[in-house]
Amino acid sequence: MKLTISKTELKKMQSSADEACKLMKVLSNRDRMMLLCELGQGERCVSELETALDIHQPTLSQQLTVLRQGKLVKTRREGKQIYYSLASQVVVSVISLLYKHYCKR
């Protein structure tokens, strides 16, 4: 039995694969992975992330910028504090799975 995929379905699959590859590329950095795992536990401000993960400026700002540009995190400002949280259900699902297998040992 031969399975054929239409050109439209193939384009959708390719686009989805591209999106998954972008996500995996962003996740392939240890500091970004740690930031996402921490944010998987709930919203955090920059100072909380710095203290919890021992990631200092400018590395913290640099990695948070990559996460924002990749649309993996969103921000909320409250006074002078900027709070970060996970931005999509896909990111929540992936980070939850990784947390379960690698962080809860």
Side-chain angles (χ1 to χ4, degrees):
M1 176 180 229
K2 187 175 181 180
L3 180 66
T4 58
I5 299 172
S6 72
K7 296 267 187 206
T8 302
E9 290 173 317
L10 180 60
K11 290 286 186 196
K12 287 180 184 178
M13 288 174 63
Q14 290 170 334
S15 178
S16 293
D18 288 342
E19 289 298 314
C21 288
K22 286 181 197 175
L23 175 61
M24 293 296 127
K25 185 175 180 180
V26 173
L27 292 177
S28 69
N29 175 279
R30 183 180 68 186
D31 289 337
R32 290 192 295 262
M33 179 65 74
M34 290 173 58
L35 285 163
L36 291 170
C37 282
E38 184 66 20
L39 293 172
Q41 304 309 299
E43 183 182 68
R44 303 282 189 269
C45 70
V46 174
S47 61
E48 291 171 326
L49 291 168
E50 186 174 17
T51 301
L53 302 174
D54 197 32
I55 301 173
H56 304 289
Q57 300 289 352
T59 302
L60 181 62
S61 292
Q62 183 181 40
Q63 299 309 330
L64 287 169
T65 297
V66 172
L67 294 173
R68 274 194 320 270
Q69 289 173 342
K71 297 186 171 112
L72 276 66
V73 298
K74 58 187 174 183
T75 61
R76 176 180 69 82
R77 181 179 288 276
E78 189 174 297
K80 291 183 180 183
Q81 293 287 341
I82 297 176
Y83 289 87
Y84 287 83
S85 59
L86 299 181
S88 74
Q89 190 55 49
V90 170
V91 175
V92 170
S93 296
V94 170
I95 293 304
S96 294
L97 182 64
L98 291 170
Y99 188 88
K100 176 184 171 187
H101 288 284
Y102 293 99
C103 298
K104 286 280 199 177
R105 293 186 176 207

